[in-house]
Amino acid sequence: MLKLEELENKVDNAFTNNLKVDINSGFKRDIDEFKEKLAILANTGRYNKLVKSLLKEKDRINFNSFVFEVSFAYDFESKCSPLQYEVNLLKNSNDTIDFLYKTKNRVNICFDLHQANQRKWLTDLTKSQLKSRGMYEIVLDGQDEQNKIIRLQNLVLSKCQDKNGKPYKFIKGIDIYNIIVICVSGEIDGHFDKFDCMLTMYGDPSVPVWAKRNIFGLCQQLPDNAPEQLKLCHEKFKHFNETINGVLFVKNASHPACYGDLILNLDLEYFLVGNNNLSDQNKFNGICIELQEILKSWTEKKAD
Protein backbone atom coordinates (compact mmCIF):
# COMPACT_ATOMS: atom_id res chain seq x y z
CA MET A 1 0.00 0.00 0.00
CA LEU A 2 1.39 3.40 -1.01
CA LYS A 3 1.93 6.04 1.66
CA LEU A 4 0.03 9.28 1.03
CA GLU A 5 3.14 11.35 0.28
CA GLU A 6 4.47 8.66 -2.05
CA LEU A 7 1.11 8.46 -3.84
CA GLU A 8 0.93 12.24 -4.30
CA ASN A 9 4.45 12.27 -5.76
CA LYS A 10 3.56 9.46 -8.16
CA VAL A 11 0.40 11.29 -9.27
CA ASP A 12 2.40 14.49 -9.85
CA ASN A 13 4.89 12.50 -11.88
CA ALA A 14 2.10 10.87 -13.92
CA PHE A 15 0.54 14.22 -14.76
CA THR A 16 3.86 15.94 -15.48
CA ASN A 17 5.84 13.29 -17.33
CA ASN A 18 3.24 10.91 -18.76
CA LEU A 19 0.48 13.36 -19.65
CA LYS A 20 2.44 16.62 -19.98
CA VAL A 21 0.22 18.58 -17.59
CA ASP A 22 1.45 21.61 -15.68
CA ILE A 23 0.42 20.65 -12.13
CA ASN A 24 0.85 24.24 -10.96
CA SER A 25 -1.55 25.61 -13.55
CA GLY A 26 -5.06 26.86 -12.91
CA PHE A 27 -6.15 23.22 -12.59
CA LYS A 28 -4.15 22.56 -9.43
CA ARG A 29 -7.32 22.50 -7.28
CA ASP A 30 -8.89 19.86 -9.54
CA ILE A 31 -5.73 17.77 -9.47
CA ASP A 32 -5.63 17.99 -5.67
CA GLU A 33 -9.27 16.86 -5.45
CA PHE A 34 -8.50 13.93 -7.72
CA LYS A 35 -5.53 13.00 -5.51
CA GLU A 36 -7.86 12.89 -2.50
CA LYS A 37 -10.22 10.50 -4.27
CA LEU A 38 -7.37 8.29 -5.38
CA ALA A 39 -5.91 8.22 -1.86
CA ILE A 40 -9.20 6.96 -0.43
CA LEU A 41 -9.21 4.10 -2.93
CA ALA A 42 -5.52 3.31 -2.42
CA ASN A 43 -5.95 3.10 1.35
CA THR A 44 -8.45 0.25 0.99
CA GLY A 45 -5.86 -1.98 -0.65
CA ARG A 46 -8.51 -3.19 -3.14
CA TYR A 47 -7.62 -0.92 -6.05
CA ASN A 48 -3.90 -1.54 -6.44
CA LYS A 49 -4.29 -2.61 -10.07
CA LEU A 50 -6.38 0.47 -10.92
CA VAL A 51 -3.95 2.84 -9.21
CA LYS A 52 -0.90 1.27 -10.88
CA SER A 53 -2.56 1.30 -14.31
CA LEU A 54 -3.54 4.95 -13.96
CA LEU A 55 -0.11 6.05 -12.77
CA LYS A 56 1.71 4.53 -15.76
CA GLU A 57 -0.85 5.47 -18.46
CA LYS A 58 0.42 7.84 -21.14
CA ASP A 59 -2.58 7.82 -23.48
CA ARG A 60 -5.03 10.56 -22.49
CA ILE A 61 -8.14 8.74 -23.71
CA ASN A 62 -7.26 5.67 -21.67
CA PHE A 63 -6.40 7.89 -18.71
CA ASN A 64 -9.88 9.46 -18.93
CA SER A 65 -11.36 5.97 -18.66
CA PHE A 66 -9.39 5.39 -15.46
CA VAL A 67 -10.59 8.76 -14.11
CA PHE A 68 -14.16 7.57 -14.71
CA GLU A 69 -13.46 4.32 -12.84
CA VAL A 70 -11.83 6.20 -9.95
CA SER A 71 -14.79 8.59 -9.71
CA PHE A 72 -17.31 5.73 -9.78
CA ALA A 73 -15.44 3.75 -7.11
CA TYR A 74 -15.01 6.85 -4.97
CA ASP A 75 -18.76 7.46 -4.97
CA PHE A 76 -19.19 4.04 -3.32
CA GLU A 77 -16.17 4.02 -1.02
CA SER A 78 -16.89 7.52 0.31
CA LYS A 79 -20.26 6.16 1.48
CA CYS A 80 -18.64 3.14 3.18
CA SER A 81 -19.95 0.86 0.44
CA PRO A 82 -16.98 -1.25 -0.67
CA LEU A 83 -16.47 -2.59 -4.17
CA GLN A 84 -14.30 -5.34 -5.60
CA TYR A 85 -12.30 -4.32 -8.66
CA GLU A 86 -11.90 -6.36 -11.86
CA VAL A 87 -13.74 -9.59 -11.07
CA ASN A 88 -13.74 -12.63 -13.36
CA LEU A 89 -17.19 -14.25 -13.56
CA LEU A 90 -16.71 -16.66 -16.45
CA LYS A 91 -14.77 -19.91 -16.34
CA ASN A 92 -12.13 -20.39 -19.05
CA SER A 93 -12.13 -16.67 -19.83
CA ASN A 94 -9.88 -13.73 -18.98
CA ASP A 95 -12.76 -11.25 -19.31
CA THR A 96 -13.57 -9.30 -16.16
CA ILE A 97 -16.31 -6.95 -15.05
CA ASP A 98 -15.08 -3.66 -13.62
CA PHE A 99 -16.75 -3.73 -10.20
CA LEU A 100 -18.70 -6.08 -7.94
CA TYR A 101 -20.90 -4.74 -5.14
CA LYS A 102 -22.68 -6.83 -2.50
CA THR A 103 -25.95 -5.29 -1.31
CA LYS A 104 -27.19 -5.39 2.27
CA ASN A 105 -29.27 -8.42 1.25
CA ARG A 106 -26.19 -10.16 -0.20
CA VAL A 107 -27.18 -9.66 -3.82
CA ASN A 108 -24.20 -9.39 -6.16
CA ILE A 109 -24.36 -6.37 -8.48
CA CYS A 110 -21.91 -6.58 -11.37
CA PHE A 111 -20.99 -3.24 -12.94
CA ASP A 112 -19.14 -2.75 -16.20
CA LEU A 113 -18.30 0.81 -17.25
CA HIS A 114 -17.88 2.56 -20.57
CA GLN A 115 -16.07 5.81 -21.22
CA ALA A 116 -15.51 7.42 -24.62
CA ASN A 117 -13.39 5.94 -27.40
CA GLN A 118 -12.66 2.56 -25.86
CA ARG A 119 -13.18 0.62 -29.08
CA LYS A 120 -12.48 1.80 -32.60
CA TRP A 121 -14.50 -1.07 -34.09
CA LEU A 122 -17.60 0.24 -32.32
CA THR A 123 -17.34 3.65 -33.99
CA ASP A 124 -16.74 1.99 -37.36
CA LEU A 125 -19.69 -0.36 -36.83
CA THR A 126 -22.07 2.47 -35.98
CA LYS A 127 -20.95 4.57 -38.95
CA SER A 128 -21.47 1.63 -41.31
CA GLN A 129 -24.96 0.99 -39.90
CA LEU A 130 -25.92 4.61 -40.33
CA LYS A 131 -24.86 4.52 -43.98
CA SER A 132 -26.46 1.21 -44.90
CA ARG A 133 -29.97 -0.25 -45.03
CA GLY A 134 -29.70 -3.23 -42.77
CA MET A 135 -30.92 -4.32 -39.37
CA TYR A 136 -31.36 -0.73 -38.15
CA GLU A 137 -33.37 0.46 -41.14
CA ILE A 138 -36.34 1.27 -38.87
CA VAL A 139 -34.43 4.09 -37.17
CA LEU A 140 -32.49 5.51 -40.08
CA ASP A 141 -33.56 8.69 -41.79
CA GLY A 142 -30.46 10.84 -41.27
CA GLN A 143 -31.70 12.58 -38.14
CA ASP A 144 -28.97 13.37 -35.62
CA GLU A 145 -31.22 12.56 -32.67
CA GLN A 146 -31.88 9.07 -34.01
CA ASN A 147 -28.22 8.51 -34.76
CA LYS A 148 -27.35 9.52 -31.21
CA ILE A 149 -29.62 6.82 -29.76
CA ILE A 150 -28.35 4.19 -32.22
CA ARG A 151 -24.80 4.94 -31.18
CA LEU A 152 -25.69 4.66 -27.51
CA GLN A 153 -27.44 1.33 -28.07
CA ASN A 154 -24.27 0.06 -29.75
CA LEU A 155 -22.19 1.26 -26.81
CA VAL A 156 -24.44 -0.60 -24.38
CA LEU A 157 -24.35 -3.81 -26.43
CA SER A 158 -20.55 -3.63 -26.70
CA LYS A 159 -20.28 -4.20 -22.96
CA CYS A 160 -21.95 -7.61 -23.04
CA GLN A 161 -21.21 -8.98 -26.51
CA ASP A 162 -18.44 -8.58 -29.07
CA LYS A 163 -18.77 -7.19 -32.59
CA ASN A 164 -19.85 -10.61 -33.85
CA GLY A 165 -22.60 -10.87 -31.23
CA LYS A 166 -20.71 -13.39 -29.03
CA PRO A 167 -21.59 -12.92 -25.30
CA TYR A 168 -18.87 -12.16 -22.78
CA LYS A 169 -18.12 -10.90 -19.24
CA PHE A 170 -21.51 -11.44 -17.56
CA ILE A 171 -23.23 -14.53 -16.16
CA LYS A 172 -26.83 -15.14 -15.11
CA GLY A 173 -27.83 -16.15 -11.58
CA ILE A 174 -30.59 -15.82 -8.99
CA ASP A 175 -28.65 -13.39 -6.78
CA ILE A 176 -26.68 -11.73 -9.57
CA TYR A 177 -27.74 -8.42 -11.09
CA ASN A 178 -25.80 -7.22 -14.12
CA ILE A 179 -25.70 -3.47 -14.75
CA ILE A 180 -23.94 -1.69 -17.59
CA VAL A 181 -22.73 1.80 -16.68
CA ILE A 182 -22.58 4.30 -19.55
CA CYS A 183 -21.22 7.83 -19.23
CA VAL A 184 -23.17 9.95 -21.73
CA SER A 185 -21.42 13.26 -21.00
CA GLY A 186 -18.97 13.82 -23.81
CA GLU A 187 -19.93 10.40 -25.19
CA ILE A 188 -22.91 11.32 -27.31
CA ASP A 189 -23.03 14.45 -29.45
CA GLY A 190 -25.60 16.96 -28.30
CA HIS A 191 -27.75 17.26 -25.17
CA PHE A 192 -28.71 13.99 -23.50
CA ASP A 193 -31.63 13.74 -21.06
CA LYS A 194 -33.78 11.13 -19.32
CA PHE A 195 -36.06 10.79 -22.34
CA ASP A 196 -33.03 9.72 -24.37
CA CYS A 197 -32.24 7.13 -21.71
CA MET A 198 -35.78 5.76 -21.92
CA LEU A 199 -35.67 5.78 -25.73
CA THR A 200 -32.49 3.74 -25.61
CA MET A 201 -34.06 1.11 -23.38
CA TYR A 202 -37.77 1.07 -24.33
CA GLY A 203 -38.10 2.97 -27.59
CA ASP A 204 -40.84 5.33 -28.72
CA PRO A 205 -43.67 3.92 -26.53
CA SER A 206 -41.79 5.05 -23.39
CA VAL A 207 -41.67 8.78 -24.14
CA PRO A 208 -44.06 11.66 -24.95
CA VAL A 209 -45.01 12.26 -28.57
CA TRP A 210 -42.59 15.17 -28.97
CA ALA A 211 -39.66 12.99 -27.82
CA LYS A 212 -40.31 10.04 -30.15
CA ARG A 213 -37.53 9.31 -32.65
CA ASN A 214 -38.81 6.18 -34.42
CA ILE A 215 -36.58 4.06 -32.15
CA PHE A 216 -36.90 0.39 -31.23
CA GLY A 217 -35.58 0.03 -27.68
CA LEU A 218 -33.16 -2.53 -26.28
CA CYS A 219 -35.85 -3.88 -23.91
CA GLN A 220 -38.88 -3.19 -26.08
CA GLN A 221 -41.40 -5.99 -26.64
CA LEU A 222 -41.74 -7.18 -30.21
CA PRO A 223 -45.18 -6.08 -31.47
CA ASP A 224 -47.58 -8.39 -33.29
CA ASN A 225 -47.02 -8.56 -37.03
CA ALA A 226 -43.61 -6.91 -36.62
CA PRO A 227 -41.72 -6.21 -39.86
CA GLU A 228 -38.54 -8.13 -40.58
CA GLN A 229 -36.34 -5.19 -39.60
CA LEU A 230 -37.83 -5.13 -36.10
CA LYS A 231 -37.36 -8.89 -35.75
CA LEU A 232 -33.70 -8.49 -36.64
CA CYS A 233 -33.28 -5.78 -34.00
CA HIS A 234 -35.06 -7.88 -31.40
CA GLU A 235 -32.77 -10.83 -32.18
CA LYS A 236 -29.70 -8.57 -31.94
CA PHE A 237 -30.82 -7.48 -28.46
CA LYS A 238 -31.67 -11.03 -27.25
CA HIS A 239 -28.55 -11.68 -25.16
CA PHE A 240 -28.81 -8.25 -23.56
CA ASN A 241 -32.44 -8.91 -22.62
CA GLU A 242 -31.63 -12.30 -21.12
CA THR A 243 -28.57 -11.19 -19.15
CA ILE A 244 -28.49 -7.47 -18.30
CA ASN A 245 -30.76 -6.24 -15.50
CA GLY A 246 -30.37 -2.56 -16.19
CA VAL A 247 -28.32 0.33 -17.55
CA LEU A 248 -26.95 3.01 -15.23
CA PHE A 249 -26.71 6.22 -17.25
CA VAL A 250 -24.12 8.67 -15.93
CA LYS A 251 -23.47 12.33 -16.62
CA ASN A 252 -21.34 15.10 -15.19
CA ALA A 253 -23.21 17.33 -12.76
CA SER A 254 -21.25 20.24 -14.18
CA HIS A 255 -18.76 20.78 -16.97
CA PRO A 256 -15.71 18.69 -15.99
CA ALA A 257 -12.33 20.26 -15.40
CA CYS A 258 -10.31 19.50 -18.51
CA TYR A 259 -6.73 20.11 -19.62
CA GLY A 260 -7.17 19.94 -23.37
CA ASP A 261 -8.67 16.50 -24.01
CA LEU A 262 -7.67 15.27 -20.55
CA ILE A 263 -10.33 14.99 -17.82
CA LEU A 264 -8.93 15.87 -14.41
CA ASN A 265 -11.93 15.41 -12.15
CA LEU A 266 -15.58 14.33 -12.34
CA ASP A 267 -18.74 15.00 -10.34
CA LEU A 268 -21.14 12.26 -11.42
CA GLU A 269 -24.93 11.91 -11.41
CA TYR A 270 -26.78 8.66 -12.10
CA PHE A 271 -30.06 7.44 -13.63
CA LEU A 272 -30.81 3.69 -13.45
CA VAL A 273 -33.24 2.14 -15.97
CA GLY A 274 -34.11 -1.49 -15.34
CA ASN A 275 -34.83 -4.31 -17.78
CA ASN A 276 -38.44 -5.20 -17.04
CA ASN A 277 -38.12 -8.36 -19.11
CA LEU A 278 -35.67 -9.83 -16.63
CA SER A 279 -35.82 -8.24 -13.20
CA ASP A 280 -37.97 -9.18 -10.23
CA GLN A 281 -39.54 -5.76 -9.76
CA ASN A 282 -39.69 -5.85 -5.95
CA LYS A 283 -36.08 -6.96 -5.62
CA PHE A 284 -34.96 -4.48 -8.26
CA ASN A 285 -36.77 -1.65 -6.45
CA GLY A 286 -34.85 -2.56 -3.30
CA ILE A 287 -31.59 -2.38 -5.24
CA CYS A 288 -32.60 1.02 -6.65
CA ILE A 289 -33.29 2.37 -3.17
CA GLU A 290 -29.92 1.16 -1.88
CA LEU A 291 -28.05 2.65 -4.84
CA GLN A 292 -29.91 5.94 -4.45
CA GLU A 293 -28.48 6.18 -0.94
CA ILE A 294 -24.98 5.87 -2.40
CA LEU A 295 -25.09 7.64 -5.75
CA LYS A 296 -26.08 11.21 -6.59
CA SER A 297 -29.35 11.31 -8.53
CA TRP A 298 -29.48 12.63 -12.10
CA THR A 299 -30.97 16.12 -12.21
CA GLU A 300 -32.27 17.92 -15.27
CA LYS A 301 -31.31 21.55 -15.71
CA LYS A 302 -34.25 23.86 -16.12
CA ALA A 303 -34.39 25.94 -19.26
CA ASP A 304 -33.70 29.65 -18.81
Side-chain angles (χ1 to χ4, degrees), residues 55-68:
L55 291 176
K56 69 180 183 182
E57 185 58 61
K58 296 182 179 180
D59 182 89
R60 290 191 171 197
I61 299 301
N62 291 337
F63 187 86
N64 289 345
S65 296
F66 289 131
V67 171
F68 182 33

Side-chain angles (χ1 to χ4, degrees), residues 1-15:
M1 186 181 302
L2 292 174
K3 294 181 179 179
L4 180 58
E5 183 177 355
E6 182 183 1
L7 176 63
E8 289 186 346
N9 289 336
K10 286 182 175 292
V11 173
D12 287 345
N13 179 71
F15 275 113

Side-chain angles (χ1 to χ4, degrees), residues 170-228:
F170 294 98
I171 60 173
K172 294 181 283 188
I174 296 176
D175 289 323
I176 294 176
Y177 274 65
N178 298 316
I179 296 178
I180 292 173
V181 185
I182 298 289
C183 183
V184 295
S185 291
E187 181 71 81
I188 305 296
D189 293 336
H191 176 68
F192 203 91
D193 58 25
K194 288 186 177 180
F195 290 123
D196 293 314
C197 299
M198 295 304 299
L199 273 173
T200 302
M201 294 291 279
Y202 288 101
D204 280 7
S206 66
V207 298
V209 173
W210 59 264
K212 296 181 186 298
R213 297 290 184 266
N214 196 25
I215 294 289
F216 183 75
L218 292 169
C219 302
Q220 190 172 338
Q221 293 290 332
L222 193 65
D224 295 335
N225 302 317
E228 189 63 26

Side-chain angles (χ1 to χ4, degrees), residues 4 16-17 21 47 59 100 127 145 148 168 286-287 292:
L4 180 58
T16 302
N17 296 325
V21 172
Y47 299 95
D59 182 89
L100 176 67
K127 287 181 179 178
E145 289 297 313
K148 178 176 69 175
Y168 61 16
I287 289 172
Q292 286 171 359

